[in-house]
Amino acid sequence: MTSRRIKLLIPRDRAELIPLLFTIFLICLYVTFELCVILPTIYHNIFTYKEIFHLIFGFYVIFNLIGNLYICMITDTSINTIICPVLLPSTIVNSISTRKTQQDIIYYHCNWHYCHSCEVNVPPRSQHCHICKICILKRDHHCVFLGRCIGFRNIRYYMCFLVWTWIGLVYCNILHMDYTYELVGTFSWRVMISCLCPLIAWLFNFVDHFSLLLSCICSTSIILSLYVLFLIIQQSFLISNSQTWYEYDKDIHMYNTGKSLRFNLQLVFGKRWYLALLNPLMSSQPLGDGMSFDMHRSETRDAQNTGTKYI
């Protein structure tokens, strides 16, 4: 079991070790920077209850961030975790078209189908990843920064990793503002240029070499927080519509049953979704088995009877 987890931690494509190690490096850099530079400067190395609060909250963020990252990487969400039938089960959505159309894409995606690469029958919504070289249950996308495919069993941890990364970056930005105010005593246009455009501030001698390094770290945290927020909004939109990235790209809405947002959250985070967001160790299995899914009945009936997809 241990050797298997270690194997899962290493990306199948060795080139993805670079973005993965870069992600880990940024996490270590910001943790070290906040603990060794920011907090001592703000509180003048005096151990107060405010600093204790910052430490407790900071380590809680790190616990959730690292915990979700680790579990997301060691969770096997491939077809190796299920028993695939030898014979293809009966179709759920029929297709009567004779050429490659939108309906053919739906027919292939929404039924059990044969994967020629894995040489096995795979469930609906499963797709073959040419980087991981295996079919993934309810495949959403392949994350380059983690070197993993995000699918049915690990999308919860991926989403929580994004959320806690964004919380950590926003928290760092708040501390950086306090740190800047502690050093210069005010927010002038020079300070804003130094934080947002450190290289320009260095070229015009607004900052020295050490301040350039600090400004780069501060400006990077602002950019990363905006980028991660963008990813969270994208993924939240897909979860609320019960879609994967492939289904969004192909304009497939068949799995959006019109149920409540709470139900769609349970499909990803489980019935205890509110606790899963707060603790990566909380047991909360996603609804379903990754092989069968609820479908919009009217759209299914329309596709079966007419061979066209109602969108």
Side-chain angles (χ1 to χ4, degrees), residues 37 42 97 101 103 200 243 279:
V37 179
I42 295 176
S97 57
T101 62
Q103 177 61 21
I200 295 178
Q243 283 182 306
N279 187 352

Short mmCIF file of all heavy atoms in Angstrom, two decimals, residues 37 42 97 101 103 200 243 279:
data_model
loop_
_atom_site.label_atom_id
_atom_site.label_comp_id
_atom_site.label_asym_id
_atom_site.label_seq_id
_atom_site.Cartn_x
_atom_site.Cartn_y
_atom_site.Cartn_z
N VAL A 37 9.69 36.45 8.30
CA VAL A 37 9.87 37.85 7.93
C VAL A 37 8.67 38.70 8.33
O VAL A 37 8.82 39.71 9.03
CB VAL A 37 10.14 37.98 6.41
CG1 VAL A 37 10.29 39.46 6.03
CG2 VAL A 37 11.39 37.21 6.01
N ILE A 42 5.92 42.61 12.02
CA ILE A 42 4.67 43.25 12.44
C ILE A 42 4.57 43.32 13.96
O ILE A 42 4.19 44.36 14.53
CB ILE A 42 3.46 42.48 11.86
CG1 ILE A 42 3.45 42.58 10.34
CG2 ILE A 42 2.15 43.03 12.43
CD1 ILE A 42 2.34 41.78 9.68
N SER A 97 -28.04 8.34 -35.97
CA SER A 97 -27.35 9.04 -37.04
C SER A 97 -26.29 8.14 -37.65
O SER A 97 -25.75 7.26 -37.00
CB SER A 97 -26.71 10.33 -36.51
OG SER A 97 -25.83 10.03 -35.46
N THR A 101 -21.73 13.16 -35.51
CA THR A 101 -22.47 14.36 -35.15
C THR A 101 -22.40 14.55 -33.64
O THR A 101 -21.78 13.78 -32.91
CB THR A 101 -23.94 14.24 -35.57
OG1 THR A 101 -24.54 13.13 -34.88
CG2 THR A 101 -24.05 14.02 -37.08
N GLN A 103 -24.80 14.07 -31.68
CA GLN A 103 -25.48 12.93 -31.07
C GLN A 103 -24.55 11.74 -30.90
O GLN A 103 -24.65 10.99 -29.93
CB GLN A 103 -26.70 12.54 -31.92
CG GLN A 103 -27.45 11.32 -31.40
CD GLN A 103 -28.00 11.55 -30.00
OE1 GLN A 103 -28.15 12.70 -29.61
NE2 GLN A 103 -28.27 10.49 -29.28
N ILE A 200 9.88 47.47 -12.20
CA ILE A 200 9.87 48.88 -12.59
C ILE A 200 10.35 49.75 -11.42
O ILE A 200 11.13 50.69 -11.62
CB ILE A 200 8.45 49.29 -13.03
CG1 ILE A 200 8.05 48.53 -14.29
CG2 ILE A 200 8.38 50.80 -13.26
CD1 ILE A 200 6.64 48.84 -14.77
N GLN A 243 -21.49 19.25 -14.44
CA GLN A 243 -20.78 19.01 -15.69
C GLN A 243 -19.31 18.78 -15.43
O GLN A 243 -18.77 19.19 -14.40
CB GLN A 243 -20.92 20.21 -16.64
CG GLN A 243 -22.24 20.34 -17.36
CD GLN A 243 -22.25 21.52 -18.30
OE1 GLN A 243 -21.97 22.65 -17.91
NE2 GLN A 243 -22.56 21.26 -19.56
N ASN A 279 -12.08 20.02 6.64
CA ASN A 279 -11.10 19.04 7.10
C ASN A 279 -10.90 17.97 6.02
O ASN A 279 -11.85 17.27 5.67
CB ASN A 279 -11.59 18.39 8.40
CG ASN A 279 -10.55 17.48 9.04
OD1 ASN A 279 -9.50 17.20 8.45
ND2 ASN A 279 -10.83 17.02 10.23
#
